[in-house]
Amino acid sequence: MHHVTVMTRAGCHACEIAEADVARICGELGATWSAVDVDTDPEHQAEYGDRVPVLLVDGDEHGYWQVEEARLRTALS
């Protein structure tokens, strides 16, 4: 089973959209997902802070700024 992590930040409208998209897609495909606020960890903030939302699939960076639905579905199938 695959796991998607959305690296996000409070008050980020693009992050809210990405989380909704990921929740829908993962729900349809049976994958798990979680969200991590980059501002709670200095390392995460340094790595991802200027590109949120960032999607990780099974811990590997998959994309940022928006969910590319077809590409994410392919990665999860």
Side-chain angles (χ1 to χ4, degrees):
M1 177 184 293
H2 294 288
H3 183 81
V4 178
T5 305
V6 182
M7 305 304 287
T8 186
R9 140 177 308 127
C12 169
H13 182 66
C15 298
E16 294 169 0
I17 293 169
E19 286 183 59
D21 289 344
V22 167
R24 177 179 49 81
I25 294 164
C26 286
E28 291 172 6
L29 299 179
T32 59
W33 76 280
S34 60
V36 175
D37 186 336
V38 298
D39 294 325
T40 62
D41 182 311
E43 289 182 27
H44 287 155
Q45 189 175 34
E47 177 73 21
Y48 306 112
D50 62 341
R51 298 181 290 138
V52 294
V54 178
L55 271 60
L56 309 176
V57 175
D58 299 328
D60 294 324
E61 189 171 322
H62 180 74
Y64 54 93
W65 291 336
Q66 65 184 13
V67 176
E68 295 176 54
E69 184 166 345
R71 187 166 171 257
L72 180 58
R73 286 180 177 278
T74 298
L76 297 178
S77 56

